[in-house]
Structures are given as C-alpha cells and as structure tokens.
Amino acid sequence: MAGGKGTRMRSALPKVLHPIWGRPLLGWVLAAVREAGADRIVVVVPPTEADAVAAVVGDAAIVVQPDQLGTGDAVRCAVPALEGFAGDVLIVSGDTPLLTAELLNDLLAAHVESGAAGTAATFRVAEPGGYGRVLRSDAGIRIVEAKDATAAELEVTEANAGLYVFDADALRLTLAGLTNDNAQGEYYLPDVVPAIAAAGLAVRAAEVTDASLLLGVNTRVELAEAAELLRTRIVEQHLLAGAGIVDPATTYIDATVTLAPDCVVHPFTILRGTTSLAAGAEAGPHSVLTDAVLDSGAQAGPFAHLRAGTHLHADARVGAFAETKNTTLGARSKIPHLSYVGDATVGEDSNIGAGNITANYDGTNKHQTTIGDRVRTGSDTVFVAPVELGDDAVTGAGSIITDDVPAGALGIARARQVIKEHYAKRKRDA
Ligand code: UD1
Ligand code: CA
C-alpha cells in the first residue's frame, strides 16, 4: 500500500518517495518483499504522482487508487490485479522501511503453521501514539484506530503493525463488506480481521518481538528515526563483511554502495550512490563520495569531494579541499590539495599541483582536459579545456594553459615579473 497522501509529512513529495540512504521509503519495503521471495507484487499508488511512484517499483504491477478512501479501499483496488490467485496474500505498508525478509518469512511461516485465514502482525510499544490498538477478548481480535479509541482502549500497548497475511478468498469476501462508519470516514483494512472471524474462519494476532522492525513513517520525525536505524543496519552489515569503518556513529553509507573487505572509511564520511571501495582503498575523514570508484590502495580525503564519474586507479590520491567530477586518475597519480578537476583524464604517476583548476565549462558545453603520464603541473595552473598535456609535460606555476603542451615540454603562460629597484625609498622621498 503506497496510495496514501502522506499529509503528516507536510511535503510536496509523496511520502513513499522520501529517500533514505539512496532509496525511496517504498524501495526499502519492496527490497524486503522481493528478498522474502514474493512471486507476484502489486503496488497501490496515488493518482497524483502515480508515474513517479511507478518509476521506483521495478517489475511490480501498479494499481492506481483513485480516491484515498483508506487502507481497506487501497487493498480493494488491488484485488482485480490478483485475479485467479489463490493462497496467501502478504500485505505491507509502503511506509514501514525497517521490514526485513526474515521477519516477513517468519510471519508467513507462523500463518501457515497456525492454519488461520488471517494473521495480523503486532508489537508492544510503551507509547503507541497514532498506531491502531489491538484488542483481544473472548469475542476475538479487533483493531481500533487511535482516533476511534476510547480512553481505556488508548491505554492498550499492543499496536497493529500494518502488516498482514490473508487467505486470498477470505480477503475478497470480507473486503466487500467493509464500511467507513468511523472517525476518519475511511475504509479500514484492520476491520477485515474481525470480519474474517465473523465468517467463521480463524484469525490471529502475531506479536513481533523486535518492534523497531515495524516502525511506521508518518512524520519527518519518524523518517529521521527510520533513517538512523537503517544507517546503523547498513554500517553493521559492512563491518560484519570485513570493511573497516573507524567511527560508525559518523559514517553515512547509501544502500547501493559496495565496500570490499579491508577498505577503510574514516570518520565523518558520506558514501553515496554506486560508490565502491576496493580492498585497501581509504575514504575520509570528512569526505563526500558520490558514484565514485576507488581501486585498491586509492585514497580520498581528508576533506575530499568526489562527484559522479570519479575513478581513482590503484594508489591514486585526492586530498584536502579537492573536488573531482567525471575524472579518471591513473595509478599513483595525485591531486593532493585545493583543486577542481572535472571532465578530465589523468595518466599514471602524474602530480597535479596545489590549486589547479580545470576550466571545463564555457557556459554552454563541458570540455575535456587530457593529461598524460608522469606530468607535473605547477601550483595554480588553470587548464582551459579542451586542452591536452602529453606524457612528462610540465607547467609553470600560475599558468593559464590554453594550448596543448607536447610530451616532455614545459608550458608556461604568465607575465614576466618586473623588478623596480629602490621602489620603497623613492615612494618615501616623493
Ligand atoms: C495504519 C493502520 C494502523 C496501524 C498503522 C501501522 C489502518 C486504518 N490503520 O495506520 O492500525 O497501526 O498503519 O503503521 O490501516 N494507504 C493507501 N491508501 C489510502 C490510505 C493509506 O494506500 O487510502 C497506504 C499509505 O500510503 C501507507 C499505508 O497505506 O503506506 C498506511 O496508511 P497510513 O495512513 O500511514 O495509516 P496509519 O494511520 O499509519
Ligand atoms: Ca502509517
């Protein structure tokens, strides 16, 4: 279910598209569902932004919910897409990004083992706030929404997780009878639970012990809570797989990043997108790497900003206050400090001096800078692209290089220094 408005986010962006570590909220849920082995996935999306939501669901089927009439209505909209399906239907909320495949499989196994026609996952929480309360009595199980609950019912600490397994036929049968006679005037999916019991079939509420897996995101406060839990989960997975992460508390890694065993991530470092670090590569401290590739022994940091398309070959290095973009740095080459290198190819064993800039943009187009092997560029060199420096080329400090520098040559482009003797004395005497 991803068809809700997400009003409580107070955002123009649909709730399920809010990103957490490089993935939309909904992407986290779908990743868990796929890993659990679901063979047919239907996603209910809102009519506005349907295309934007559809764009992140991969090969899952899309169903548009025309009006946001509640979670029961959302599932009702999905039923035609399940035509001919008999068996267990797992229903998950698109706003519960902490779900794991293990949890979903445990719930399915418990459902099958019990022989029930419906199983609702629940959890205990000291302050259940806006969650639906699970009311167990001799009459059976019922879920009351916080907005409909009496003061006594609000005291109940068993919360509805918004995660269910229903027998397809029992679901079709009971959805048809839902009413919207409640505080929000909505069709509530949880009302299916007592309806199944009323039809003479068994329903269960299965308590999940790790409540953190069921966190529902309704506000930006909960989004931040979910992000922190997922950040820790990602960091721990990398640590267990052998990556060196010096300070887990200040390391931010997107779900799509690849870390080889024995790479090192230093404190205050953000690794985004498809960034990958090979064994022995080091990132940080205080660095941001987006869609960057570091081969073995390559280093970025401290204070490095590697943007999309940066590839550091073995033992290459980008140092303090240097930014790179669409740039390949050959083996052992260095951009040690205070530089911007964009749309460039640098060969092997070259050194880019302090404060070098590729002037790659003429206001309309981006142009390429090509630098060979064993090149030494002087401090404060500006490369006015397109421009090419051959192997073993050298540039003088402070040069604005507008013409190609052939292999082995020195390119120097600056006004000669003028000396005015006795200048200070003449000024004084004037
Ligand atoms: C829901 C449950 C509540 C439970 C909580 C767990 C209902 C009525 N209440 O409340 O018992 O404790 O989840 O997190 O189900 N959605 C649609 N179409 C709609 C409305 C919602 O697709 O018309 C989707 C939303 O996008 C969301 C999910 O269903 O992914 C849950 O909706 P939300 O409004 O967040 O329900 P809660 O108030 O959190
Ligand atoms: Ca919710």
Side-chain angles (χ1 to χ4, degrees), residues 1-4 8 15-16 44 65 68-71 74 93-96 131-132 143 145 160-162 164 188-190 216 218:
M1 296 179 288
R8 289 164 280 178
K15 174 167 73 179
V16 295
V44 182
Q65 183 188 16
Q68 278 46 68
L69 303 179
T71 48
S93 300
D95 64 354
T96 52
Y131 290 109
I143 294 159
E145 291 308 299
N160 174 30
Y164 320 81
Y188 291 163
L189 182 61
N218 300 303

Side-chain angles (χ1 to χ4, degrees), residues 137-233:
S137 71
D138 293 345
I141 298 160
R142 185 164 74 82
I143 294 159
V144 62
E145 291 308 299
K147 285 179 179 153
D148 298 290
T150 63
E153 287 167 346
L154 286 174
E155 296 295 310
V156 172
T157 55
E158 186 174 10
N160 174 30
L163 167 64
Y164 320 81
V165 187
F166 292 118
D167 171 72
D169 289 332
L171 184 63
R172 288 187 188 100
L173 179 76
T174 48
L175 278 175
L178 287 184
T179 64
N180 63 353
D181 182 15
N182 52 53
Q184 302 183 80
E186 287 186 357
Y187 296 91
Y188 291 163
L189 182 61
D191 287 350
V192 158
V193 170
I196 289 177
L201 299 164
V203 275
R204 289 179 66 241
E207 192 180 320
V208 173
T209 39
D210 186 354
S212 74
L213 300 177
L214 300 168
L215 175 70
V217 172
N218 300 303
T219 64
R220 287 181 184 267
V221 172
E222 287 157 342
L223 180 69
E225 275 171 34
E228 176 55 17
L229 289 165
L230 287 168
R231 191 187 68 75
T232 309
R233 187 189 288 178

Side-chain angles (χ1 to χ4, degrees), residues 35-119:
E35 198 191 326
D39 48 15
R40 226 166 131 179
I41 303 174
V42 180
V43 182
V44 182
V45 304
T48 52
E49 315 279 353
D51 292 343
V53 178
V56 306
V57 307
D59 59 2
I62 292 284
V63 167
V64 177
Q65 183 188 16
D67 300 297
Q68 278 46 68
L69 303 179
T71 48
D73 178 64
V75 175
R76 210 155 50 185
C77 291
V79 163
L82 293 171
E83 167 130 41
F85 178 80
D88 294 325
V89 182
L90 174 73
I91 301 182
V92 300
S93 300
D95 64 354
T96 52
L98 275 301
L99 295 181
T100 62
E102 197 189 357
L103 171 75
L104 299 179
N105 280 322
D106 286 351
L107 185 74
L108 281 158
H111 172 81
V112 170
E113 200 181 329
S114 74
T119 302

Side-chain angles (χ1 to χ4, degrees), residues 345-362:
T345 309
V346 179
E348 298 182 351
D349 299 298
S350 287
N351 189 78
I352 306 299
N356 280 206
I357 304 285
T358 51
N360 59 328
Y361 188 45
D362 60 16

Side-chain angles (χ1 to χ4, degrees), residues 20-23 28 227-239 243-260 263-266 268-277 283 287 289:
I20 298 184
W21 312 125
R23 253 187 205 161
W28 285 96
E228 176 55 17
L229 289 165
L230 287 168
R231 191 187 68 75
T232 309
R233 187 189 288 178
I234 293 171
V235 167
E236 280 178 9
Q237 280 168 354
H238 285 301
L239 286 168
I245 296 174
V246 177
D247 183 19
T250 61
T251 305
Y252 306 83
I253 306 175
D254 276 1
T256 39
V257 165
T258 310
L259 299 182
C263 69
V264 181
V265 183
H266 294 284
F268 297 100
T269 294
I270 302 173
L271 305 179
R272 304 175 60 189
T274 56
T275 293
S276 74
L277 269 60
S287 296
L289 281 68

Side-chain angles (χ1 to χ4, degrees), residues 284-306:
H286 292 279
S287 296
V288 180
L289 281 68
T290 302
D291 301 340
V293 177
L294 270 61
D295 291 351
S296 66
Q299 291 178 32
F303 300 102
H305 186 192
L306 272 53

Side-chain angles (χ1 to χ4, degrees), residues 329-336 346-354 356 370-383 389-399 401 405-412 414:
L329 201 53
R332 298 169 302 281
S333 286
K334 296 178 182 63
I335 308 174
V346 179
E348 298 182 351
D349 299 298
S350 287
N351 189 78
I352 306 299
N356 280 206
T370 307
I371 295 174
D373 297 339
R374 298 172 305 279
V375 169
R376 297 279 173 276
T377 69
S379 298
D380 245 331
T381 299
V382 175
F383 306 94
L389 279 76
D391 293 345
D392 302 292
V394 176
T395 65
S399 290
I401 301 297
V405 181
L410 166 70
I412 184 159
R414 65 180 187 226

